Amino acid sequence: MAFADKLVQTPRREKSGETGYERYDYQAIWGLVLIFESHSELDDYAVAFEFHDDIVRLNSSSTPTRARFYQVKTKVKGHWTLTDLSSRKKSKDGASLLPSYIGKMHDNYELFPDETERLSFVSNLPCEFMDASATICCFADCDAEAFRKFLAKLKHERPAATQETAKLMHFVRADLSLHDASAHVKGLMQDFITSQLGTISYSPDTLYKAIIEDCRTKSKFTGSIDTFDDLIKHKAITKSHVNSWLAQITNNDAVPSWSDFANDLTFSAIEKASIAKEWRLYRALALGAGNEAINRVRTRVRVELRKIPNSSLALTPLTDHLFGAIWSFAKATISNLTPSRAKAMIIYEVMTYDPSGDVQKADKGSADAKS
């Protein structure tokens, strides 16, 4: 059986309890760090959230053969001890013991022995018996006596564990504080964008909100995953996905400034000023690929543009024509949409129009979203 099918068809562990919002968000933020690293290291990848483990990195978004499993856990203070890592809580009914952290790690190997590349425990605080200065440590490389105790605890819970399988298990010290992780990852994001695109103009805050929301959405999806395509669509960020973020930044940087076409607009002074204000806001907002409501309206504008590809209309009458064609749909799709915002959106699509391309497709069943 192909690994892609095996991943989806293998039953997953039930969640052992609720995850606090701050810690849950930390998982999404650390996943974004992993995405930045993977984009530079691999020709293709998929980083899946809350699927068999907190995060799973596959070496392909279409035909994976290898996987790295990550448990991302946080502590407010102190450090992780062997007792922390190997303790097992009782199930809600008290009839059985839930797996420990290291038990869960090894369980992934037992489920996917031929495909497991690495098993990692990720945290904001260090491990008591590991090198506190190292970013990544293999548990097998700690002090010999400490590893003997570690292996004994692991074998007690997972009898199939061996010294060799334990060598797949690592401790990762995340360089992200629990309470200010987003600030740090914004800096990493800007370094990543610069490494990929060079110096380019964009709104870091807007881009961060867009891409971290993509990660959160993948984490929170609880619907059925029946096929590998479902997994990629609903639970994973892929290299293609990240390339679409980069393409949007490039496209946004190429958008003319307001002064480049303002003289072509013949609206009244008050209406023109209102559209100008919305234009400045929308240029940044257009980076938000995850806003399904905006994407549906953008797609509708482009559909109407394709109907008049050879139009000789000037910018103002063209904007008015498109406004009449999309307004009813647009105001029903985007909450609190104003005519000035709609016209700014239309002008943006006119100025960036490419008949060969299209904006990210929106899910037809997506709920209304505020912009």
Side-chain angles (χ1 to χ4, degrees), residues 23 26-31 33-34 37 53-56 68-75 80 85 101-102 105 118-127 135-137 139 169-176 178:
R23 290 168 172 77
Y26 190 92
Q27 292 178 7
I29 293 172
W30 189 83
V33 174
L34 181 63
E37 293 177 357
D53 218 327
D54 294 332
I55 297 174
V56 179
R68 292 187 178 189
F69 297 89
Y70 299 89
Q71 284 190 56
V72 184
K73 307 302 177 187
T74 59
K75 286 173 73 77
W80 291 92
L85 297 173
Y101 291 129
I102 60 175
M105 293 169 72
R118 184 178 292 181
L119 304 160
S120 296
F121 185 90
V122 182
S123 183
N124 59 310
L125 292 180
C127 179
T135 303
I136 302 175
C137 284
F139 282 106
M169 303 173 72
H170 293 70
F171 186 91
V172 178
R173 174 74 184 275
D175 191 17
L176 297 172
L178 177 58

Side-chain angles (χ1 to χ4, degrees), residues 117-179:
E117 185 175 52
R118 184 178 292 181
L119 304 160
S120 296
F121 185 90
V122 182
S123 183
N124 59 310
L125 292 180
C127 179
E128 180 183 47
F129 55 94
M130 307 288 284
D131 181 358
S133 65
T135 303
I136 302 175
C137 284
C138 178
F139 282 106
D141 292 336
C142 65
D143 174 82
E145 179 61 16
F147 181 62
R148 184 191 66 77
K149 293 178 180 178
F150 174 88
L151 188 58
K153 291 282 189 179
L154 179 62
K155 284 185 173 182
H156 180 72
E157 180 176 350
R158 310 298 306 187
T162 66
Q163 185 168 324
E164 289 305 308
T165 60
K167 289 180 180 179
L168 295 172
M169 303 173 72
H170 293 70
F171 186 91
V172 178
R173 174 74 184 275
D175 191 17
L176 297 172
S177 69
L178 177 58
H179 303 296

Side-chain angles (χ1 to χ4, degrees), residues 182-257:
S182 60
H184 188 173
V185 82
K186 284 179 186 178
L188 295 177
M189 179 195 73
Q190 292 184 62
D191 291 343
F192 172 73
I193 298 301
T194 300
S195 71
Q196 297 294 315
L197 302 177
T199 302
I200 193 167
S201 176
Y202 68 100
S203 169
D205 285 341
T206 301
L207 177 63
Y208 174 75
K209 289 176 183 177
I211 63 179
I212 197 62
E213 190 57 34
D214 270 356
C215 295
R216 288 170 179 150
T217 298
K218 304 293 185 179
S219 295
K220 295 174 184 176
F221 181 81
T222 57
S224 298
I225 302 294
D226 299 318
T227 66
F228 185 69
D229 285 344
D230 289 341
L231 171 61
I232 295 300
K233 179 179 180 181
H234 297 298
K235 301 292 288 181
I237 301 292
T238 67
K239 187 154 194 170
S240 176
H241 199 132
V242 177
N243 283 336
S244 73
W245 296 341
L246 296 173
Q248 280 196 299
I249 297 170
T250 303
N251 292 340
N252 188 264
D253 184 57
V255 176
S257 64

